[in-house]
Amino acid sequence: MGDMIHFPQEEPDFQAALSTSMVVFGFDGVDLKILLAKSTRPPFEGALFLPSRYLKANEELLLSAKKMFNDLFGYDNPSMVEQLRAFGQVFRHPGGRVVNIAHYALVNTDDFRTEEWEHHGMHWVPVNEVPDLAFDHNDIVDYARERLKRRVRRRPVGFDLLPKEFTLGQLQNLYEKAMRKTFDKRNFRKKLFKSKLLVDLEKKSDGSGYGQHKGSQLFSFNDEAYSIMTLKGYDFVF
Amino acid sequence: MGDMIHFPQEEPDFQAALSTSMVVFGFDGVDLKILLAKSTRPPFEGALFLPSRYLKANEELLLSAKKMFNDLFGYDNPSMVEQLRAFGQVFRHPGGRVVNIAHYALVNTDDFRTEEWEHHGMHWVPVNEVPDLAFDHNDIVDYARERLKRRVRRRPVGFDLLPKEFTLGQLQNLYEKAMRKTFDKRNFRKKLFKSKLLVDLEKKSDGSGYGQHKGSQLFSFNDEAYSIMTLKGYDFVF
DNA sequence: TCAAAAGTGTTGGGGGTACACCCATGC
DNA sequence: GCATGGGTGTACCCCCAACACTTTTGA
């Protein structure tokens, strides 16, 4: 009652801990997946959860998430790590209050340092097959999927997810998985071509890329158009 | 390096404090405003900032924000208090780390308990005239305005902001202020009428409501259509 | 030979956008 | 009478949505 107006004078309660979890969306050419960790030691052996860490009291929120991204993937991805929001309701740690500042990122699954992390139980799981996770991490995943859906609608997203050279089948497949609906092939192509986002590489896939049909046309993104549309946004209405 | 995969075993650092600030958008019939507090005592005398409070270690994030809303307005508004995100970069408290979980809310300015709060320096300021604020509160306001813009685009928002009976001029004015662009009067009306959101009250304003032109038609919202569109969303494309 | 994906055009309808004038009110 | 806002209809054009068949490849 009236507490808040004393804000600058009032004393904060320095007893909470901060953690950050990351929903890493990865595309392998066919499926949209997220990265999960599995605890391999007691007392939480077998528990699945999002890649997470506790923050030191002096760590920046976003920088900490980007550092975690770099640990996992070995490179920086300045644009595609974003905060989702704070989750503080469900997780109760016996030692006290923990608030989780969740983030998400988009990658191509090939970029994951599999060999370095797999013995820690890190692995990809298709977004439609995410099992029960520890803490409130299922809520975080759900929230991230909604955010991704909205993002796909307003900005191009393929650049970080697809291989450098991709087919229209892969692109449509990615959009359908992210937006959880199907599109008419002809209308999808028409819209993409009109957007000037795609560069026709004038060669055909040899079928070696996962999810690529041999003989289908290869494309890459027009960096300039992609940047502009990332900044200005657009409407991908279907 | 590899910290995050020990998450369940690792020890949290219980040294951070949590605060919550609220961007309260209010409409008075003409202007879209936000509520600011002014510190009236040293050592921060004169500093302007968002209504804020520190959280106790056992308080829920959203409930705490809703409680603050109730303190300010004297009623509960379950649907229109939402979390924005966590802000942790700028504010440095001498006592340690503080992370601010910001929220926003929509109200009609008439609902504000002015008499109870004005001697604490609480007052409305038009969104276009927000001065420099303490801490990183300007960042929070900017973020909230972007969120409001997106929300107006996808869901009806007038219900919480407008008086029970309002004119189309007021409604259009509100949408223009929130979305920071102007609309063609005839097209705006056509779109709203088509949406079935409006109920023609079949009476005209006597000009006593602030921002109401005498003689213009009064409307209210169709509760049912409003609820459905709040749940399902739509596209307000202009 | 069979299944799966690639590739390709047209049509109709709905809706976004642009645009101008008269009336009512208050000062 | 002058300024401000209220109220009203039409025409164009773009783009979304629906729709089917042939070809290539691999199993």
Side-chain angles (χ1 to χ4, degrees), chain A residues 130-172:
Chain A
V130 174
D132 284 344
L133 305 178
F135 316 123
D136 54 353
H137 287 190
N138 285 102
D139 293 338
I140 299 176
V141 170
D142 291 344
Y143 192 85
R145 292 189 71 180
E146 282 303 309
R147 176 73 66 95
L148 177 62
K149 208 198 273 187
R150 284 203 304 273
R151 188 178 175 92
V152 170
R153 213 187 149 79
R154 298 286 304 160
R155 321 263 171 191
V157 295
F159 192 82
D160 299 291
L161 291 153
L162 290 161
K164 285 269 172 285
E165 307 187 336
F166 52 86
T167 66
L168 285 175
Q170 288 180 307
L171 183 63
Q172 179 168 349

Side-chain angles (χ1 to χ4, degrees), chain A residues 4-7 9 14-16 39 41 52 57 59-60 83 85-86 89 97 117 120 135 153 235, chain B residues 4-7 9 14-16 39 41 52 57 59-60 83 85-86 89 97 117 120 135 153 235:
Chain A
M4 81 289 305
I5 71 123
H6 303 122
F7 182 62
Q9 288 85 13
F14 290 104
Q15 294 188 47
S39 177
R41 296 179 305 182
S52 308
E59 282 184 291
E60 294 274 11
Q83 189 191 127
R85 67 169 171 89
Q89 294 188 46
R97 179 65 178 283
W117 290 103
H120 292 284
F135 316 123
R153 213 187 149 79
D235 259 301
Chain B
M4 83 289 304
I5 72 126
H6 303 121
F7 182 62
Q9 288 84 13
F14 290 104
Q15 293 188 47
S39 178
R41 298 178 303 183
S52 308
E59 281 183 292
E60 293 273 10
Q83 188 191 126
R85 67 169 171 89
Q89 294 188 46
R97 179 64 178 285
W117 290 103
H120 292 284
F135 315 123
R153 212 187 148 78
D235 261 300

Side-chain angles (χ1 to χ4, degrees), chain A residues 81-101:
Chain A
V81 177
E82 259 184 33
Q83 189 191 127
L84 292 166
R85 67 169 171 89
F87 289 79
Q89 294 188 46
V90 177
F91 177 30
R92 295 275 180 267
H93 190 283
R97 179 65 178 283
V98 176
V99 168
N100 190 327
I101 317 290

Side-chain angles (χ1 to χ4, degrees), chain A residues 151-152 154-159 175 197 221 225-226 229-230 233-234:
Chain A
R151 188 178 175 92
V152 170
R154 298 286 304 160
R155 321 263 171 191
V157 295
F159 192 82
Y175 272 59
L197 269 176
F221 285 108
Y226 195 94
M229 297 181 87
T230 298
Y234 61 101

